[in-house]
Amino acid sequence: MSDALQLNGDLVDRARAAADAIADDIQRHIDEHTTDTTERASLRLLGITGVNEIDVPLVNVVVEHARSLLPSGILRPFVDLMDRTGRGAQEVAEGVAAGELTLAPVPPERCEGVEARAEALAREGVARIDAVRARRNELVATVGEPPKPYVYVIVATGNIYEDAAQAKAAARAGADVIAVIRTTAQSLLDYVPYGETTEGFGGTYATQENFRLMRAALDEVGEELGHYVRLCNYASGLCMPEIATMGALERLDMMLNDSMYGIIFRNINMQRTFVDQYLSRLINARAGIVINTGEDNYLTTADAFEAGHTVVSSDFINEAFALRANLEPWQIGLGHAFEIDPAKPDQVVYQIADAQLIRQLFPGYPLKYMPPTKYMPGDIFQGHIIDGMFNFTGILTGQEIMLLGMLTEALHTPLLQDRYVSIRNAKYVFEACRHLADEISYKPSGLIERRADEQLRRAVEQLEHVRSIGLFKALQNGEFADVKRDPDGGRGFEGVIKVAPDYFNPFFAALREGRMSGPPRGTERGETTAGDSAVAGGGD
Amino acid sequence: MSDALQLNGDLVDRARAAADAIADDIQRHIDEHTTDTTERASLRLLGITGVNEIDVPLVNVVVEHARSLLPSGILRPFVDLMDRTGRGAQEVAEGVAAGELTLAPVPPERCEGVEARAEALAREGVARIDAVRARRNELVATVGEPPKPYVYVIVATGNIYEDAAQAKAAARAGADVIAVIRTTAQSLLDYVPYGETTEGFGGTYATQENFRLMRAALDEVGEELGHYVRLCNYASGLCMPEIATMGALERLDMMLNDSMYGIIFRNINMQRTFVDQYLSRLINARAGIVINTGEDNYLTTADAFEAGHTVVSSDFINEAFALRANLEPWQIGLGHAFEIDPAKPDQVVYQIADAQLIRQLFPGYPLKYMPPTKYMPGDIFQGHIIDGMFNFTGILTGQEIMLLGMLTEALHTPLLQDRYVSIRNAKYVFEACRHLADEISYKPSGLIERRADEQLRRAVEQLEHVRSIGLFKALQNGEFADVKRDPDGGRGFEGVIKVAPDYFNPFFAALREGRMSGPPRGTERGETTAGDSAVAGGGD
Amino acid sequence: MLIRPYGDTRDDGVIQFSFTLPMPYSVKAADVGKQFLEKLGFHTVGIAECRAMDPEYTFFVAYARTDVGIDPDEVKGDYLEVEEMDFAAINALIKERLGRKLGVVGAAIESDAHTVGIDAIMNMKGFAGNYGLERYPEMDALNMGSQIPCAQLLRTALERDADAILVSQIVTQKNIHVQHLTQLIELLEAEGVRERFVLVVGGPRINNAFAKELGYDAGFGPRTTPLEVASFLAQEVVRRHEEA
Amino acid sequence: MLIRPYGDTRDDGVIQFSFTLPMPYSVKAADVGKQFLEKLGFHTVGIAECRAMDPEYTFFVAYARTDVGIDPDEVKGDYLEVEEMDFAAINALIKERLGRKLGVVGAAIESDAHTVGIDAIMNMKGFAGNYGLERYPEMDALNMGSQIPCAQLLRTALERDADAILVSQIVTQKNIHVQHLTQLIELLEAEGVRERFVLVVGGPRINNAFAKELGYDAGFGPRTTPLEVASFLAQEVVRRHEEA
Ligand code: B12
Ligand code: B12
Ligand SMILES: Cc1ncc(COP(=O)(O)O)c(C=O)c1O
Ligand SMILES: Cc1ncc(COP(=O)(O)O)c(C=O)c1O
């Protein structure tokens, strides 16, 4: 089925060429700037953690303290201070926070030595990431892999312990990936909260300690089930590279990481976001983390039937940025969604066209397929069926990461039992239709092929248009998701800093240097839960 | 999609040839016999109705009274008595019941005159059926037709008024056919109960008055909805031709009428059933009623994956009997079912193969597709999804009469809301996937085509084997549904009568004479209920 | 310890409901649904769906919470605790301790025509990968099939001098099964032969406690396997034999 | 007249339930579920499904009956009865009776980033085939979008001398919407400008009674159309204008 549709290869080439040009243009902006969170992430990569007495993370204190030094990068003066005091990174940060130590420009004569030491420290930092990645590879190899597609569900109680309990229940019911949703406004905080948390609404704080607790829970249940259970969290927001760092250290396996989501959906400044996504993705790449992009969101504000092609063009853009940040194709989980109004005649036929198109445009990429959300009804029985057709479309078109729809999508974040019934839905549909894709072919120039072709054509048009006006301008015009953003507006603009000619940050090089390649490999274990025969239930 | 699978035409021809031979063989038996209910039905066709003081139907009293005359047929002596008394059929029956009148053999000299009058009366009886059929044609033409596939649901409260209320609710929710399930043991009664009834369990008594009440309710709601709503009941059982008569007079549109269901599933004597089905089908044919056969039942006792081919062979047999009883292809709703264990890998793929095969073997026939029942779980959410995949398979393979699965199949006869949510399930899936069939083709020699081919081959083998041993013997061996029956055993054997050389029954000829042809035709009206957009429900 | 339903947070008491009220949909329908659930003792009611099904009926889907809990330790019942044995062990037990074949007669009685359940337990091929009673060399099992009148079942059991009678009841609407099952007990008692048989009933709505209440020796529910039934029969018949 | 849920037979009181109990599945789990529903006041409980979801949780699907009924006529509430007008009539009403443009400012406030709902009501293209407020020539409508702090919303409304403020609240978990909505009211009152505005809130978990309780002038729930909102605004602003 991987080439079930006849696509116009020329159009595909033109799309990639345009996306490349768009990304190259933005990459120049990226290379000329740093941001607060980029600098803070660099400090975290040195091993700095913790908060001050009013709960401000030390890395924020340090970066704030050294604001005037940022155009040249925080690392040179910071490592210099380590040298001068003979203390470790954490102690220096604590000293700065305590007001004992002060960061200062490094005089030219010390630069060379400081830079060499900083490079060594950067390599050490990266080595910690590599060790975590190696551990993942080892675990997957010994514990085993679940079969594809991955069943992905969320937990969002606000309480990490409750989340962990529910995540384990979900894994036992058949979930392969657990995503912990962040609490509602966290992505707009210009710092990362610290420590374990038991309160949040609409989600749970993303903190390093919470990552660790959830990782431990999933390792435990993975061992029990005989296959590795993946953990996902969100990088996009005001602290992309910092959260990516935490994810790398705590062995997250997937991260939501989109080059434009924060801009469009969180009104985060675009100059900031493009810079932030770059380091965050370099880190994800190094850590062997699979990123998930957020094109599905476009179809919640724009109409999925009319604007389906914007998902395609944005996938090309996200791909281009991802490749520039050293991610390998197996790590690039491009997003798309099943969001056409279910009242539209032949809805599933069109969804098949859209999903199959994206499948063929990005072979080898672990596509993330999002379930229906916007049109999910309050009638949970009807919603469950729409989710069933989503599951069907997913297995038919070979999606690899299936975010499961919840029958209660219109109502609340998932209950324990919502996940359970959704997983049973998906497992049944996947097994019952597993080889259907091998059995059918699409009629040449039929409705499906024509829709796919039209989507591709419109995506190419859009990409070439965006190339001609530039991505900033396109975002300003509201060309994605019908949302307009100002290049100088939105949150976090004050944290964008033009770099000086002597800007120094050894992590960019260290993260690229001698990296491991390829996905973790393990034998497929874990049988399907659809296996338990559904013979007449009941009994009272 | 009607020729989506490459089938071996030779095998199809062999199947039909074998089925023809099997039916011809049985037809000889049919022609040599009559039954109590055949004679009673003939009296009903003359217009006799009502019960005596102990609730025994007059037709039963009359037939019982004239038992010794039956080998020559009840009609000659009965019409003779009408002649002699100058009374109408009803009055004569009442007289016989009251012990006032006595039926007696007709002396040869009166025969010719009596027979001529009986023939005239038979033509009158048939004319009443024709009038009802004409009325249906007229209603369909003026009120309109719903789009295919027909959505078919059951009501089964035991109370005809409650049934009518629920039937109307179902029709408003989108049902096109309402079947009133008979109360549990009615099919084993050797008479048809009389009058309106408000009690029954597992279903409602099939009586002529109940038929009338339900017909009126559906005509009312059909008018309101702008499309004709069809009514279905069951002929199979110990009184097939009598119930068929009632159905013809009360404008039922469909009847469950299988040449073998009663034998296999109700342990009704086979000699009896074959005779009964013949007249009942002649009546159904004349009345423009669509019959539904019961092959789906085989898969509740035999395994659907292993024994799927028995459905195919039985469909050929039912077809052969139906054609012999003057039914036109558009009236022959051959049954089949979605009963493969949902825990079986690729269940839906196999179901598609089976359903598509039957679709292609019987083009132009209104196939009746039965939903999953045996493996429906107590978990209604999971059951709802399995039903969703059934709906999907139905629309993909072009089934015309979709009996909707109920999410509570394992629990109880449907609640009001069970029908509602099931209809919403079906309407959504039908609309969302309506043209998928036009978009795909099946891989030559793939899993689907191979499965279909194997089913056909095995059906041919079975049919040729049955031809060689005879159908009676095959039923004795348990070759259908794994159920064994004795040719001289089972209920109703005492009511099978070998006809004398002078057997006389003018209805057989009258029913065939100058009949109308073709289905009722109306413009497609009634929009789909999936039309109401499913945007976020709720509100509290 | 009292436990409550677990929706999103332990002990939140969340329950999902669906029901139909026989009233026309109107602007206040959602409130009727909400207040109805409140009257039933629930709180924090969220009406997820409230839709006209028809001019006369309104369909509701709701979530609400209860503060009522239950202590599972206090739920006591008459559960059948059968020590499950394997095919060989069951046959060996009968052979060694009963010393003759164990006779079993089974049927779906009266108007019930559902045989798949009793077939699953009794027929050769069995169910869920384990053999039916007919396959046990140490049993003499007869499955009479469907719609067998109580009197006929008893007659056959007496004729064959069976040790156990197995009854299947699938149709339960309007409690028809209770009627049939009582009828059989009364017949056995009237004939004074109740004690001669191990009397077992099964079906999707049967459980052991319910069977005991009606006067049966054991009841088996959904997803019963032949092995469970065979284990019970062998142990129970041998026990009675040795006690006698 | 009291009505009860209608399952199979009028007044049978049948309700469908699903819930999860935090206890391991065991042979008695079905009885725990049954007795729990009985404790809640239901009878004729049928446990349709009772299955281990996990070693610690058991999932139930059940049907049971209640004898409790409700009289819909006794359910009284603060329902918004807006006489729905058409696009032209609304504009005409404003033009003739208000004599100037009707000013509206709307936003999803505080942490709420869901704009699809407010966009459906306010943006040009509207929703379900009817235009949003921005399209009304006699309205001066500004949709500020998502995550707008209360203070900023108020500032804008004052600057533009708006007649009405429209607030959208979609996220309701842990009652966060109540917190935000109260915050806005308190701010308006603290500034002494509550009476200057027709204050409206909408969202999938909002209804009129709830909005009134919080001190708003009206509340709109799921599937609201722009026409309903425009009709209400025009009528209410004109009424106030004429009363003043
Ligand atoms: C197959 C079937 C039929 C077939 C039966 C064929 C046959 N020869 O058995 C046919 C088509 C004939 C049929 C007819 C009817 N059926 Co029916 N049928 C079913 C169906 C779909 C499956 C039952 C089944 O085979 N299950 C599989 C077996 C393996 O499971 P089981 O029976 O539970 O058995 C297991 C255990 O319960 C236990 N067990 C069962 N018996 C025994 C006995 C002993 C001694 C022991 C130890 C254990 C044991 O062990 C078995 C293996 O684990 C069910 C719905 C469903 N999904 O359950 C409806 C269902 C049972 N039928 C129903 C009805 C109403 C009817 C009719 C009355 C409808 C009508 N008015 O025409 C008729 C009449 C039947 C009659 N006179 O009894 C209703 C019953 C409602 C109720 N609760 O009362 C059901 C639930 C469907 C529904 N939702 O309406 N039916
Ligand atoms: C689209 C969507 C998003 C998009 C929003 C994009 C955007 N710009 O709006 C994105 C992806 C960004 C998003 C994010 C989140 N979402 Co969201 N989202 C949805 C979703 C799928 C659809 C909402 C929607 O657009 N509905 C369509 C519109 C037309 O309907 P509506 O909003 O009800 O509006 C109608 C009426 O209510 C009324 N109305 C609404 N507002 C107003 C205002 C006025 C004045 C009037 C008169 C009328 C009115 O009129 C409208 C037209 O009829 C819902 C699930 C669902 N199916 O409802 C979840 C949902 C609302 N989201 C939810 C959550 C938890 C979140 C997050 C907090 C998750 C997280 N932790 O990351 C985030 C954070 C958002 C934040 N900070 O607020 C939950 C809320 C749970 C709850 N009850 O509290 C939901 C229910 C999903 C779920 N089941 O968990 N989400
Ligand atoms: C790419 C991406 N990042 C992040 C998020 C979540 O962000 P927030 O935590 O801001 O809601 C989403 C949610 O859909 C997303 O798609
Ligand atoms: C062909 C046919 N006739 C009749 C029936 C119903 O018969 P009874 O009323 O005997 O249950 C069925 C039920 O499935 C059937 O398939």
Side-chain angles (χ1 to χ4, degrees), chain B residues 44-60:
Chain B
R44 285 185 188 267
L45 284 167
L46 286 187
I48 299 172
T49 175
V51 290
N52 70 7
E53 64 296 343
I54 55 163
D55 281 338
V56 180
L58 294 185
V59 294
N60 286 60

Side-chain angles (χ1 to χ4, degrees), chain D residues 48-61:
Chain D
E49 171 82 343
C50 166
R51 202 185 268 263
M53 189 186 250
D54 171 276
E56 290 167 57
Y57 308 109
T58 304
F59 175 58
F60 293 87
V61 175

Side-chain angles (χ1 to χ4, degrees), chain A residues 462-494:
Chain A
Q462 185 184 25
L463 284 165
E464 293 181 344
H465 165 75
V466 172
R467 174 175 58 190
S468 74
I469 62 169
L471 188 51
F472 281 177
K473 184 76 190 149
L475 288 164
Q476 208 168 356
N477 293 346
E479 301 192 18
F480 295 98
D482 285 352
V483 175
K484 300 180 181 170
R485 297 301 184 197
D486 179 359
D488 298 336
R491 315 215 180 199
F493 184 37
E494 61 291 348

Side-chain angles (χ1 to χ4, degrees), chain A residues 400-436:
Chain A
E400 293 197 5
I401 306 172
M402 291 290 292
L403 268 87
L404 294 197
M406 296 286 141
L407 69 180
T408 53
E409 170 61 30
L411 311 174
H412 48 234
T413 48
L415 305 185
L416 201 50
Q417 70 189 44
D418 296 342
R419 271 181 230 103
Y420 174 73
V421 300
S422 296
I423 292 171
R424 275 174 67 95
N425 176 338
K427 290 277 168 171
Y428 164 64
V429 174
F430 294 166
E431 293 315 318
C433 303
R434 191 170 284 283
H435 296 102
L436 184 57

